[in-house]
Amino acid sequence: MNRLIDSYQWYLRDRTLDPPQELMESLKNLNANSISHSSTTLLRHLVRTYQLLKKWKVPEYVCVSGLYHSIYGTQTFQKFLIDPQQRETLLELVSYRSEKLVYYFYIHDKKDFLKNLTKTKSLALKNRFDNSIIYISADEFLDLLRIRLADYIEQMERTKSSANFLKGRLDESKSFIDGKEYSAILNNLPVSYLKKT
């Protein structure tokens, strides 16, 4: 098969990476399949983010957070499917731990988040709405970092995102991500990234 064919064809082949059906149905009921996101549908983006995380063998609660990561909207994606003031709606579908990560993903300032890559303690998020500081654990930071990387990688080829930006984030992430997981991430990068590095 032609090597230039979409590097994400594994999404179509490996059904073991699919999210649970009830979670898929919840996203369809929220019309995620009719909302545009990075030259595809929001549903497809969310599912592929979940699948990347699943392929990296991260804990299921992180994969589920990835599946819903922009359900409240984000700093760059200004639409929400569930009002962030009604977090209990998502809590009916997912664990507290998963929902908390989704909420953090919604509320955090993206640029400020990257400052944590140079820290070993006092990890924190800056609330993009009121500039307050939310201290988080190292595990929460790692989980958010995983979701951020999957979110970015999933969109890379469609949005022509910078391979150099990703390489910098991956290099900075080495102190947080263990070697096995780091290798799994590298082994699942888009063809366009691999050509540029």
Side-chain angles (χ1 to χ4, degrees):
M1 192 179 272
N2 188 335
R3 287 177 13 178
L4 298 179
I5 291 177
D6 182 7
S7 65
Y8 289 117
Q9 288 213 354
W10 59 263
Y11 288 115
L12 304 174
R13 292 193 303 260
D14 192 347
R15 300 284 52 130
T16 65
L17 301 174
D18 286 352
Q21 191 59 39
E22 64 274 11
L23 298 183
M24 287 289 294
E25 288 304 317
S26 73
L27 288 169
K28 289 177 184 174
N29 290 338
L30 292 166
N31 296 316
N33 53 340
S34 64
I35 297 172
S36 295
H37 185 290
S38 62
S39 302
T40 188
T41 66
L42 178 59
L43 179 64
R44 183 171 286 173
H45 167 63
L46 295 173
V47 168
R48 288 180 175 178
T49 301
Y50 174 96
Q51 290 172 323
L52 263 176
L53 291 162
K54 191 84 168 173
K55 195 162 175 83
W56 298 345
K57 298 180 176 19
V58 302
E60 182 64 14
Y61 74 89
V62 179
C63 298
V64 170
S65 298
L67 182 64
Y68 289 95
H69 73 271
S70 53
I71 204 85
Y72 298 141
T74 68
Q75 195 165 6
T76 52
F77 183 71
Q78 299 290 314
K79 299 174 186 169
F80 61 83
L81 279 69
I82 295 176
D83 186 329
Q85 302 302 315
Q86 298 175 345
R87 294 172 62 187
E88 65 280 354
T89 303
L90 184 55
L91 280 167
E92 292 173 7
L93 300 167
V94 305
S95 71
Y96 172 77
R97 199 170 185 184
S98 291
E99 191 280 335
K100 187 177 183 184
L101 291 171
V102 172
Y103 184 73
Y104 283 166
F105 201 88
Y106 153 70
I107 206 165
H108 83 281
D109 180 287
K110 284 185 173 187
K111 288 183 182 172
D112 192 75
F113 177 82
L114 297 175
K115 292 177 185 176
N116 288 300
L117 291 169
T118 60
K119 297 179 181 179
T120 56
K121 58 183 178 177
S122 298
L123 300 170
L125 303 177
K126 181 173 151 186
N127 182 323
R128 65 187 171 99
F129 298 105
D130 65 10
N131 292 325
S132 63
I133 300 300
I134 304 164
Y135 290 97
I136 58 173
S137 69
D139 287 342
E140 289 171 327
F141 175 71
L142 174 58
D143 293 341
L144 286 167
L145 180 61
R146 290 166 165 156
I147 297 165
R148 292 262 330 251
L149 289 170
D151 174 48
Y152 191 84
I153 290 168
E154 194 288 315
Q155 299 177 68
M156 252 181 90
E157 289 191 306
R158 290 190 313 279
T159 61
K160 308 293 186 237
S161 298
S162 167
N164 290 331
F165 176 82
L166 178 61
K167 179 161 179 18
R169 298 304 72 76
L170 286 172
D171 289 347
E172 292 168 344
S173 302
K174 282 183 183 177
S175 63
F176 287 93
I177 299 175
D178 71 36
K180 193 173 182 181
E181 185 175 337
Y182 187 81
S183 294
I185 293 170
L186 289 179
N187 289 334
N188 291 288
L189 291 176
V191 171
S192 61
Y193 173 82
L194 299 172
K195 289 177 187 170
K196 293 176 186 175
T197 58

